[in-house]
């Protein structure tokens, strides 16, 4: 069990700490300021690969020894990151085939971060090597509380390494090319494949791409990242006798990572969260807890690994939050967070994020709010949340709704978030955001908004639920291979959909002889309805 608070069962408070950006003379100030702010956990080393391994065959741990020892003396725990999200320049030059290639075929060069292809053999080997060095040196360090693998998995790549790994992944998923042809509907537009080697990643092409190929590519990337994570997890876990291992999930429609599936492979679900408002924060928090609980983490425990202190990003620029650090933290703590962590501790002096807000060196008002918040968290323990209403959020449906070939544009994440907000305000208590397949027996009501993609297993899962099931339009339109599934809801809702208007969405229903299951309500539009007031007895 994660014990990030230093004293058993307490809350963690802190954030990303990048001491390599500062002369050592600043570190002592940092440690004493951290103590003043009751910081008990900092994430170190996320972007420090070029300092830790300055050349292919040399390592320099002296500075990190000093930092970890100093933190330990100050009573501050360490969430130690592997730096694999940002390979150093020597790596790029030596292994240009490890740089990511865009959909358009452009190979990127060094100069930012996330410049890697997760399937490149040299990158995979170099990642395990640096993780092994860190594991050997710090696996038993007394400050170590948590391993943080990589940073925000999600970098897309379409290179030839990915192409051959994609073929291998497809082979194990489908066994035969005929099965793949069937799943991908390749008789449409003469895409039928005669052999595995004809299959490519969904790179830039002339017009609309095959939606099944696109979906499988996201699943494949998610599994490729997972393999990279598990390679590192194996060496870290083996060296440190029970220190939990995690990575920070980044939330966003562009991310090719299936977080519900991943949640079974992390020892603690951890998210980074940068929404514009409190409703967005509540949605992220309830989602993180939903993933954690569905994956069997005790009490659905999860950690807020990063958020921005005191400011939010808006289309017009950085804006000072109307809410204090403490009211923002409450949104997460009330929803079961085991810690409140920020990006970042000290504002960077230079570099691409020098104007990113930080706890120190950006706004003295933010620093003093952080000191107050830290003090108020001492001695507190995480809340255990139990909700009796849930809303389903499915990342595969989110991916599928992004396809440009659909009859209308639906912003699936915003739609589910609006349902979540409405349910939470009318239920007057927490609402779980759950993935497909999560246990349902604790809920009196489950709402399923626009679950576009519905496999036979997902259908069975909904059928097995005996409580009030509310399904909205846009649900069950295709199977897991993006093939249409007419009448897939008929047995649940007691009707077939004989016509659809798409703007605004409105289904016309024809009742079946068998009728609806008594516990099921169907909403034929994408409107958000106050269910407690209007629909329920
Ligand atoms: C996160 C990332 C951090 C930092 C932060 C800025 O997504 O993990 O490294 O870039 O965003 O908001």
């Amino acid at each position: 069990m994660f014990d990030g608070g230093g004293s058993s069962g307490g809350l963690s408070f802190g954030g990303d700490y990048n001491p390599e950006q500062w002369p050592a003379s600043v570190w002592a100030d940092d440690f004493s300021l951290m103590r003043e702010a009751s910081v008990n956990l900092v994430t170190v080393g996320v972007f420090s690969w070029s300092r830790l391994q300055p050349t292919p065959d040399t390592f320099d741990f002296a500075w990190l020894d000093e930092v970890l020892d100093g933190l330990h003396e100050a009573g501050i725990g360490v969430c130690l990151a592997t730096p694999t999200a940002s390979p150093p320049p020597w790596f790029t030059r030596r292994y240009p085939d490890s740089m990511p290639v865009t959909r358009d075929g452009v190979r990127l060069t060094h100069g930012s971060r996330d410049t890697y292809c997760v399937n490149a053999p040299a990158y995979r080997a170099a990642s395990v090597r640096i993780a092994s060095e860190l594991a050997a040196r710090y696996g038993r360090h007394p400050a170590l509380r948590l391993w943080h693998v990589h940073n925000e998995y999600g970098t897309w790549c379409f290179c030839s390494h990915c192409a051959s790994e994609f073929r291998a992944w497809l082979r194990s998923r489908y066994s035969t090319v005929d099965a793949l042809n069937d799943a991908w509907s390749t008789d449409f537009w003469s895409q039928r494949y005669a052999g595995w080697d004809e299959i490519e990643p969904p790179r830039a092409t002339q017009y609309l791409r095959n939606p099944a190929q696109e979906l499988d590519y996201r699943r494949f990337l998610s599994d490729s990242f997972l393999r990279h994570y598990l390679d590192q997890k194996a060496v870290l876990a083996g060296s440190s006798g029970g220190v939990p291992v995690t990575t920070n999930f980044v939330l966003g429609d562009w991310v090719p990572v299936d977080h519900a599936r991943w949640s079974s492979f992390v020892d603690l679900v951890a998210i980074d969260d940068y929404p514009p408002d409190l409703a967005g924060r509540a949605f992220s928090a309830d989602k993180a807890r939903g993933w954690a609980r569905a994956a069997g983490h005790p009490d659905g425990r999860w950690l807020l690994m990063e958020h921005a202190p005191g400011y939010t990003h808006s289309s017009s620029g950085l804006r000072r939050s109307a809410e204090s650090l403490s009211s923002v933290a409450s949104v997460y703590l009330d929803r079961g967070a085991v810690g409140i962590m920020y990006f970042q501790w000290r504002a960077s002096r230079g570099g691409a994020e020098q104007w990113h807000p930080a706890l120190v060196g950006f706004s003295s008002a933010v620093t003093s709010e952080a000191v107050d918040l830290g003090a108020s968290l001492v001695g507190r323990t995480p809340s255990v949340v139990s909700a009796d209403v849930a809303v389903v959020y499915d990342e595969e449906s989110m991916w599928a709704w992004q396809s440009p070939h659909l009859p209308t544009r639906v912003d699936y994440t915003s739609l589910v978030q609006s349902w979540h907000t409405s349910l939470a305000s009318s239920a007057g208590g927490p609402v779980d955001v759950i993935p497909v397949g999560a246990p349902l027996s604790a809920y009196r009501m489950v709402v399923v908004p626009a679950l576009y993609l519905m496999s036979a297993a997902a259908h069975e899962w909904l059928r097995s639920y005996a409580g009030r099931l509310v399904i909205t339009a846009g649900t069950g339109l295709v199977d897991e291979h993006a093939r249409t599934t007419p009448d897939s809801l008929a047995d649940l809702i007691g009707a077939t959909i004989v016509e659809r208007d798409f703007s605004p969405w409105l289904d016309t229903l024809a009742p079946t002889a068998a009728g609806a299951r008594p516990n099921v309500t169907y909403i034929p539009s994408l409107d958000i309805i106050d269910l407690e007031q209007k629909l329920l007895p």
Side-chain angles (χ1 to χ4, degrees), residues 78-93:
V78 169
C79 169
L80 186 56
T82 64
T84 52
S86 208
W90 62 257
F91 179 82
T92 309
R93 288 172 62 86

Side-chain angles (χ1 to χ4, degrees), residues 488-510:
S488 65
L489 297 180
D491 64 325
L492 287 164
I493 68 174
T496 56
I497 295 160
V498 290
E499 192 166 327
R500 289 189 172 96
D501 259 343
F502 291 105
S503 49
W505 196 306
L506 189 62
D507 293 342
T508 306
L509 306 181

Side-chain angles (χ1 to χ4, degrees), residues 196-471:
W196 296 106
D197 56 352
E198 294 176 357
I199 302 169
E200 301 289 351
R203 297 180 174 127
T205 187
Q206 201 288 122
Y207 181 42
L208 294 172
R209 285 188 290 272
N210 183 323
Q213 179 186 11
E214 186 69 21
L215 261 178
D216 268 348
Y217 202 67
R218 288 223 187 195
R219 294 178 178 125
F220 154 73
L221 285 177
S222 181
D223 282 354
S224 303
F225 297 129
L226 186 58
R227 178 174 70 176
H228 182 263
Y229 164 81
L230 290 174
D231 285 350
Q232 293 193 42
K233 184 179 183 190
V235 293
L236 300 172
S239 74
S240 50
V243 172
V245 183
T246 191
T247 185
N248 49 341
F249 292 170
V250 55
L251 313 179
D253 288 2
W254 59 274
V255 181
V257 171
D258 179 344
H259 295 110
R261 170 167 155 70
W262 267 69
S263 293
S264 303
F265 297 94
V266 293
D267 295 330
L268 175 69
V269 169
I271 64 163
D272 295 352
D273 198 31
Y274 293 91
D277 54 23
L278 294 186
R281 295 182 194 281
F283 183 56
S284 306
D286 287 342
K287 204 179 338 176
R289 194 182 61 256
W291 286 329
R293 190 165 272 145
H297 295 277
D299 298 329
R301 290 161 72 90
W302 65 278
L303 172 70
L304 178 64
M305 185 68 90
E306 286 182 23
H307 71 307
Y311 291 79
T312 50
H313 289 277
S314 73
S315 51
S316 57
L318 208 54
R319 189 182 293 158
R320 184 77 164 99
S321 305
E323 302 84 20
S324 65
L325 260 61
S326 136
S327 5
V328 168
S330 299
V331 174
Y332 299 109
L333 292 171
D334 291 350
R335 290 170 175 77
V338 300
I340 298 294
M341 309 275 285
Y342 295 89
F343 183 88
Q344 58 177 333
W345 166 254
R346 181 179 285 282
S348 302
R349 198 157 46 170
E353 290 187 336
Q354 66 187 150
W355 294 108
H356 195 281
L359 292 175
V360 171
F362 196 80
S363 142
S364 49
V366 167
T367 308
S368 70
E369 281 184 43
V371 170
D372 292 347
L373 171 59
S376 74
L377 299 181
V378 175
R380 276 184 61 176
T381 50
S383 314
V384 176
V385 181
S386 64
D388 64 359
V389 173
V391 60
V392 174
Y393 178 74
D394 173 45
E395 287 188 313
E396 293 205 344
S397 285
M398 179 264 279
W399 299 344
W401 273 121
Q402 290 173 33
S403 182
H405 77 293
L406 299 179
T408 186
R409 309 254 31 101
V410 171
D411 181 344
Y412 173 73
T413 300
S414 300
L415 179 75
V416 181
Q417 186 184 313
S418 300
W419 269 107
H420 173 258
T421 306
S422 158
L423 289 163
S425 93
S426 55
V431 168
D432 283 355
V433 180
I434 56 169
V436 167
L440 297 177
S441 56
Y443 304 115
R444 73 181 160 87
M445 175 162 73
V446 173
V447 180
V448 185
L451 184 68
Y452 174 73
L453 188 150
M454 202 167 82
S455 63
H459 183 268
E460 269 315 301
W461 172 67
L462 293 179
R463 271 185 72 89
S464 72
Y465 176 59
R468 168 63 48 189
L469 178 63
V470 179
I471 299 174

Side-chain angles (χ1 to χ4, degrees), residues 48-56 58-60 88 90 129-130:
S48 61
W49 198 345
S50 60
R51 281 294 217 100
L52 293 172
Q53 191 179 2
T55 69
T58 55
F59 292 90
D60 175 7
W90 62 257
R129 186 170 179 210
I130 186 68

